[in-house]
């Protein structure tokens, strides 16, 4: 098939595409990119035009008539739930008399987890798929297109297409062949090792920690976690992004990829952390509590996640966005990336100039943070 024969189409939602066809493009490594996860977001009402996320996957079919390249795209009426902040860009565009929204977002909603944003059964279609994203943006008169939390492997594809590149920082834990948590602690400086042991012992005093996955997940577990999630969501975002039904569907359809870590006092859950299990990574997503227990957040979200990753032979733990407090817990700073297509020449020039300075500042900050990790110094 020659490039001029290629036709891209907009699909009315992830659920409109057969699961097997979608997953043949997305692969099985990253659970957030699976048809199951993205369609659960739609079916639960967490993603919808009313919520400001209109799902419009961009699809290129192969010679067999099945999707060979997909961009998980959304028409966005705001900048919430993205974790790459462009509110200043929107303000500048509006002050100049333009209309920033709607914009096109190529992402996993509410999920700051790096991964491919071009889902390719045929890798040769990557440039054509980027071209299709650009065509949708310009033909629909949208201000911009944004591919957020792009995997490092795909970043050069967007760079070659001339997209603007933005850098960020997250904190990830890497499994350096550890056989146990104590083995991991042995790699830390003595003072840091003692501090973590003290934190852990204090956090779990009087509590039972339970790891729940697969068919062991119950509606009672989700009821408890829903309370935790609502409390955290209300404090962080004002209104939680996900609906209660999302969690039930997640347990029903993706239970084997869910790890729910609960802290219980006398058999009653008082805190919980939700993780998703990838092929080589444990992804921490949400946490909440109904009791204020010192260091329990660190225990459930970071230390228990490390325990679980080591037990499963996973290579890393990605514990979500931001959080310099993760440094002292053995999570190191890593670069994250996004790519941005700005059709307007003047607006593009202004943002490009800003991003040069921002990337330099982010890189310098990441280098400084890298010197503060708790590991033994050579």
């Amino acid at each position: 098939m020659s490039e001029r024969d290629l036709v891209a189409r907009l699909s009315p939602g992830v659920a409109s595409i057969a699961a097997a066809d979608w997953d043949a493009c997305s692969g099985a490594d990253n659970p957030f990119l699976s048809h199951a996860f993205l369609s659960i977001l739609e079916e639960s009402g967490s993603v919808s035009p009313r919520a400001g996320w209109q799902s419009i996957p961009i699809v290129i079919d192969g010679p067999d008539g099945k999707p060979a390249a997909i961009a998980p795209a959304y028409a966005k009426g705001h900048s919430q739930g993205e974790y790459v902040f462009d509110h200043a860009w929107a303000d500048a565009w509006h002050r100049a008399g333009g209309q920033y929204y709607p914009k096109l977002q190529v992402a996993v909603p509410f999920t700051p987890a790096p991964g491919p944003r071009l889902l390719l059964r045929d890798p040769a279609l990557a440039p054509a798929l980027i071209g299709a994203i650009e065509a949708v943006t310009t033909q629909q008169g949208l201000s911009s297109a944004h591919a957020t939390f792009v995997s490092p492997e795909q970043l050069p594809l967007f760079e070659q297409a001339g997209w603007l590149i933005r850098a960020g920082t997250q904190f990830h834990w890497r499994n350096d062949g550890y056989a146990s948590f104590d083995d991991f602690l042995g790699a830390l400086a003595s003072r840091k090792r003692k501090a973590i042991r003290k934190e852990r012992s204090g956090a779990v005093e009087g509590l039972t920690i339970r790891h729940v996955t697969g068919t062991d997940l119950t509606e009672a577990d989700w009821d408890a976690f829903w309370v935790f999630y609502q409390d955290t969501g209300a404090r962080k975002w004002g209104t939680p992004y996900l609906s209660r039904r999302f969690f039930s569907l997640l347990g029903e359809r993706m239970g084997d990829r869910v790890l729910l870590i609960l802290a219980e006092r006398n058999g009653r859950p008082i805190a919980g952390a939700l993780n998703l299990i990838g092929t080589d990574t444990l992804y921490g997503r949400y946490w909440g509590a109904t009791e204020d227990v010192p260091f329990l957040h660190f225990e459930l979200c970071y230390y228990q996640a490390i325990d679980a990753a080591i037990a499963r032979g996973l290579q890393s733990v990605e514990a979500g966005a931001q959080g310099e407090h993760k440094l002292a817990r053995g999570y190191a700073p890593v670069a994250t990336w996004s790519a941005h297509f700005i059709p307007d020449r003047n607006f593009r020039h202004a943002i490009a100039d800003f991003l040069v300075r921002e990337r330099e500042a982010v890189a310098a900050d990441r280098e400084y943070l890298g010197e503060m990790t708790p590991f033994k110094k050579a």
Side-chain angles (χ1 to χ4, degrees):
M1 182 180 294
S2 67
E3 187 169 337
R4 65 183 178 183
D5 294 328
L6 294 174
V7 176
R9 58 184 173 89
L10 293 179
S11 186
V14 175
S16 69
I17 300 172
D21 292 342
W22 182 284
D23 291 340
C25 294
S26 67
D29 291 344
N30 189 316
F32 300 114
L33 293 165
S34 67
H35 185 276
F37 185 84
L38 294 170
S39 62
I40 286 169
L41 285 172
E42 295 177 5
E43 188 174 337
S44 66
S46 304
V47 162
S48 69
R50 183 177 180 179
W53 290 82
Q54 182 178 357
S55 180
I56 49 169
I58 300 171
V59 182
I60 297 176
D61 293 325
D64 57 1
K66 295 182 178 182
I70 304 173
Y74 299 83
K76 287 293 307 296
H78 52 66
S79 291
Q80 303 302 316
E82 298 168 6
Y83 301 91
V84 175
F85 303 108
D86 62 349
H87 299 89
W89 300 2
D91 289 343
W93 187 244
H94 286 301
R95 287 197 302 271
Q99 184 173 331
Y100 192 73
Y101 305 110
K103 62 177 182 174
L104 194 67
Q105 197 78 19
V106 181
V108 178
F110 324 124
T111 307
R117 295 300 177 253
L118 308 173
L119 312 184
L120 304 169
R121 180 165 62 95
D122 181 355
L125 290 177
L129 186 57
I130 292 176
I133 298 169
E134 295 174 354
V136 170
T137 305
T138 55
Q139 291 171 10
Q140 297 301 315
L142 305 180
S143 69
S144 50
H146 310 265
T148 45
F149 295 98
V150 178
S151 64
E153 297 77 16
Q154 287 196 345
L155 192 67
L157 297 170
F158 290 94
E159 289 182 297
Q160 291 161 15
W163 287 42
L164 303 180
I165 304 303
R166 192 174 193 183
T169 299
Q170 286 186 353
F171 298 88
H172 299 171
W173 178 83
R174 299 297 181 192
N175 187 350
D176 193 17
Y178 304 122
S180 66
F181 194 90
D182 281 341
D183 197 14
F184 156 63
L185 287 181
L188 306 185
S190 175
R191 182 170 59 88
K192 300 294 186 180
R193 186 164 60 243
K194 292 176 182 177
I196 289 176
R197 284 185 172 136
K198 184 177 180 180
E199 280 187 359
R200 296 203 75 179
S201 63
V204 301
E205 186 175 356
L207 301 178
T208 299
I209 307 299
R210 194 159 60 94
H211 288 209
V212 194
T213 190
T215 57
D216 292 334
L217 290 160
T218 68
E219 284 301 296
D221 293 329
W222 290 126
D223 285 340
F225 188 76
W226 173 243
V227 174
F228 307 146
Y229 170 74
Q230 282 187 300
D231 177 68
T232 301
R235 284 186 284 106
K236 282 191 173 183
W237 316 302
T239 302
Y241 298 134
L242 303 173
S243 69
R244 169 63 181 84
R245 188 162 184 246
F246 167 85
F247 296 100
S248 291
L249 292 175
L250 184 69
E252 175 187 321
R253 300 179 187 175
M254 296 184 66
D256 60 338
R257 306 198 77 173
V258 169
L259 175 61
L260 183 61
I261 302 175
L262 296 172
E264 299 178 341
R265 189 184 301 281
N266 299 323
R268 178 178 60 86
I270 66 161
L274 176 63
N275 305 267
L276 264 68
I277 305 167
T279 300
D280 60 10
T281 301
L282 185 68
Y283 299 94
R285 287 305 302 120
Y286 301 105
W287 130 275
T290 54
E291 286 188 23
D292 185 12
V293 178
F295 305 120
L296 186 56
H297 174 220
F298 302 150
E299 175 65 25
L300 295 193
C301 295
Y302 308 142
Y303 303 142
Q304 290 288 331
I306 291 174
D307 276 333
I310 292 173
R312 287 170 167 76
L314 302 177
Q315 296 305 303
S316 61
V317 177
E318 297 184 12
Q322 304 168 336
E324 291 184 12
H325 57 275
K326 297 170 186 171
L327 269 175
R329 280 87 203 172
Y331 290 69
V334 299
T336 58
W337 305 99
S338 59
H340 307 268
F341 172 65
I342 314 291
D344 184 273
R345 182 179 300 176
N346 292 331
F347 193 39
R348 173 188 168 84
H349 178 76
I351 291 178
D353 184 60
F354 162 77
L355 289 179
V356 169
R357 299 191 304 273
E358 186 188 51
R359 284 195 302 270
E360 291 174 350
V362 169
D365 184 58
R366 189 167 52 248
E367 183 176 358
Y368 168 73
L369 292 171
E371 297 174 354
M372 299 173 62
T373 60
F375 295 93
K376 296 174 182 176
K377 308 303 180 186

